């Protein structure tokens, strides 16, 4: 537990050397916020929403949604719950803490394998599966005492929103309703806590990456999320009661390259903790899930771009590249492996 950044970071006045990123892996800018990232009101007319969602998926690979059906009170209460969780005494978190990767509910620090990292990330993460809730919630934290009830309700509502947005994407592509249900068996939450950092220019919250899953929904409380577009890093403005929606590799492949998977990263600040509540939907790597471009999207003028594959094979390749020292080429590296 002594490794958790949240357990010692408030007592240091400089960044420990094993948290200092090499210059090429640091963030150059902390303030540039992109005003062009679409903000989509899900209470508008469906035909308008479908067009906006499809355009955002094609141009950015990320957008924000408001009036999405998850109540503002639920979002606020859940964010407050995680603030309380990460401030609990160490002994109250021992039951879920681990220093090695494992399935199920896990509290860990930095990246996937702390002991194997040459340099660490300035974050702690609580991660656990969510569906079906009755199967997984017994392993969730026992404190705060309302955790299981409150997070259970939150997970259900975000899941509903997620499938609604996937259906909007399917409609925009000309696919049937429910098309993505079969590749959305896994529903996982990861709550990232980024404590204040003495010098945010030296450290990183999370490295640049693309999500390997289908689609991701993020609730954030402070600025820190950036996306990479047109050779530049641009910030995603935290909008009250909004979810950031970003596309993973599987949507890029299933759409036969029509939709973008967005590269993104997490920055730090020196004054306040930042928390992001992240929900992942995608294939379950422990079940045999076959991924291929949708046949409905392949024509003589739009030939198949990617070969078919098993998702667990893809994840193995993704993890092999996850901590490579070539973040800018990692996107091309893994997709080129499957390109026809």
């Amino acid at each position: 537990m002594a490794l958790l950044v949240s357990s010692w970071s408030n007592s240091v006045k400089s960044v420990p050397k094993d948290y200092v990123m090499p210059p090429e892996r640091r963030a150059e800018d902390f303030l540039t916020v992109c005003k062009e990232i679409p903000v989509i009101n899900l209470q508008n007319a469906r035909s308008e929403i479908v067009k906006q969602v499809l355009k955002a998926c094609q141009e950015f690979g990320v957008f924000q949604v408001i009036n999405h059906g998850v109540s503002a009170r639920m979002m606020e209460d859940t964010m407050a719950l995680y603030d309380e969780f990460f401030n609990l005494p160490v002994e109250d978190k021992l039951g879920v803490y681990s220093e090695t990767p494992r399935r199920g509910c896990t509290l860990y620090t930095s990246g996937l394998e702390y002991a194997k990292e040459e340099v660490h990330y300035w974050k702690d993460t609580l991660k656990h599966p969510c569906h079906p809730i009755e199967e997984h919630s017994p392993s969730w934290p026992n404190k705060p005492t309302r955790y299981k009830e409150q997070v259970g309700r939150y997970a259900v509502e975000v899941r509903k929103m997620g499938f609604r947005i996937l259906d909007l994407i399917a409609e925009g592509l000309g696919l049937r309703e429910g098309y993505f249900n079969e590749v959305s068996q896994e529903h996982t939450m990861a709550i990232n806590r980024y404590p204040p950092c003495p010098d945010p220019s030296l450290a990183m919250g999370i490295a640049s990456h693309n999500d390997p899953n289908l689609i991701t929904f993020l609730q954030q409380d402070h600025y820190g999320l950036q996306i990479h577009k047109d050779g530049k890093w641009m910030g995603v403005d935290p909008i009250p009661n909004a979810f950031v929606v970003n596309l993973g590799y599987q949507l890029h492949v299933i759409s036969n390259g029509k939709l973008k998977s967005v590269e993104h990263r997490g920055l730090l600040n020196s004054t306040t903790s930042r928390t992001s509540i992240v929900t992942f939907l995608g294939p379950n790597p422990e079940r045999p899930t076959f991924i291929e471009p949708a046949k409905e999207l392949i024509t003589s003028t739009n030939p198949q771009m990617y070969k078919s594959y098993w998702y667990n094979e893809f994840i193995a390749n993704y993890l092999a590249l996850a901590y490579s020292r070539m973040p800018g080429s990692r996107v091309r590296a893994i997709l080129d492996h499957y390109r026809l």
Side-chain angles (χ1 to χ4, degrees):
M1 291 293 282
L3 296 178
L4 290 174
V5 180
S6 55
S7 70
W8 53 261
S9 57
N10 62 352
S11 63
V12 299
K13 297 190 183 318
S14 61
V15 179
K17 64 179 182 180
D18 53 344
Y19 285 83
V20 175
M21 288 286 154
E24 68 275 10
R25 293 168 65 185
R26 299 175 193 170
E28 305 84 15
D29 174 58
F30 295 86
L31 300 175
T32 303
V33 173
C34 181
K35 300 297 184 182
E36 300 172 5
I37 295 174
V39 179
I40 300 173
N41 186 342
L42 293 188
Q43 287 187 349
N44 288 342
R46 186 177 179 91
S47 59
E48 179 183 351
I49 297 172
V50 169
K51 290 178 183 177
Q52 291 175 337
V53 166
L54 185 63
K55 184 178 180 181
C57 291
Q58 291 173 327
E59 295 184 3
F60 287 89
V62 64
F63 54 95
Q64 299 202 62
V65 290
I66 57 174
N67 295 321
H68 38 62
V70 184
S71 74
R73 177 64 181 273
M74 177 176 285
M75 295 178 73
E76 292 164 5
D77 288 350
T78 305
M79 186 63 75
L81 173 79
Y82 283 116
D83 188 58
E84 186 176 337
F85 172 82
F86 283 103
N87 284 311
L88 285 171
V90 166
E91 56 269 21
D92 289 336
K93 296 179 283 193
L94 280 172
V96 292
Y97 177 70
S98 177
E99 294 182 8
T100 57
R102 67 183 185 188
R103 296 284 294 173
C105 185
T106 310
L107 173 65
Y108 61 95
T109 194
S110 191
L112 293 176
E113 295 195 60
Y114 183 94
K116 295 182 179 180
E117 296 170 356
E118 294 182 10
V119 62
H120 307 304
Y121 295 99
W122 196 272
K123 77 171 177 71
D124 299 326
T125 299
L126 175 68
K127 187 173 184 179
H128 60 65
C130 294
H131 183 79
I133 286 177
E134 59 273 13
E135 177 181 330
H136 296 294
S137 61
S139 68
W140 295 357
N142 291 317
K143 291 185 178 181
T145 55
R146 66 188 186 284
Y147 188 100
K148 293 175 183 178
E149 178 183 356
Q150 187 167 318
V151 174
R153 288 188 286 109
Y154 178 90
V156 167
E157 294 306 311
V158 174
R159 184 178 176 83
K160 287 179 185 175
M161 176 193 70
F163 280 104
R164 179 184 175 192
I165 291 172
L166 283 171
D167 278 342
L168 292 169
I169 293 173
E171 185 173 336
L173 290 171
L175 302 173
R176 61 175 171 80
E177 182 177 356
Y179 185 91
F180 294 110
N181 291 8
E182 296 174 6
V183 288
S184 303
Q185 310 101 325
E186 184 164 76
H187 172 185
T188 301
M189 286 177 63
I191 303 84
N192 298 311
R193 179 72 159 196
Y194 307 93
C197 178
D199 189 347
S201 69
L202 296 178
M204 283 293 290
I206 191 168
S208 60
H209 66 286
N210 292 58
D211 291 340
N213 57 308
L214 190 71
I215 194 167
T216 301
F217 308 94
L218 179 145
Q219 178 186 341
Q220 57 176 342
D221 57 355
H222 297 290
Y223 174 68
L225 174 64
Q226 288 190 330
I227 65 165
H228 196 248
K229 186 178 187 296
D230 300 328
K232 297 183 295 186
W233 284 102
M234 300 179 291
V236 182
D237 197 17
I239 297 174
N241 307 319
F243 281 92
V244 179
V245 183
N246 67 270
L247 277 56
Y249 279 132
Q250 306 316 308
L251 262 177
H252 177 88
V253 171
I254 293 171
S255 71
N256 200 39
K258 286 182 176 290
L259 308 183
K260 285 188 176 182
S261 169
V262 65
E263 185 177 3
H264 54 287
R265 66 184 184 183
L267 308 188
L268 305 164
N269 69 72
S270 61
T271 58
T272 185
S273 290
R274 175 175 175 260
T275 303
S276 63
I277 306 173
V278 190
T279 299
F280 302 100
L281 292 180
N284 187 334
E286 295 187 346
R287 297 178 183 175
T289 305
F290 201 58
I291 303 295
E292 62 182 351
K295 291 181 172 57
E296 296 89 335
L297 303 180
I298 299 171
T299 65
S300 58
T301 56
N302 186 42
Q304 184 171 337
M305 292 178 60
Y306 297 97
K307 61 184 178 182
S308 307
Y309 56 83
W310 294 102
Y311 182 67
N312 60 345
E313 172 203 315
F314 181 94
I315 284 293
N317 289 329
Y318 175 88
L319 292 176
L321 290 167
Y323 288 102
S324 68
R325 294 195 172 193
M326 47 180 188
S329 63
R330 186 165 61 243
V331 178
R332 296 187 298 275
I334 192 162
L335 291 184
D336 284 351
H337 184 76
Y338 296 97
R339 188 181 290 272
L340 291 172

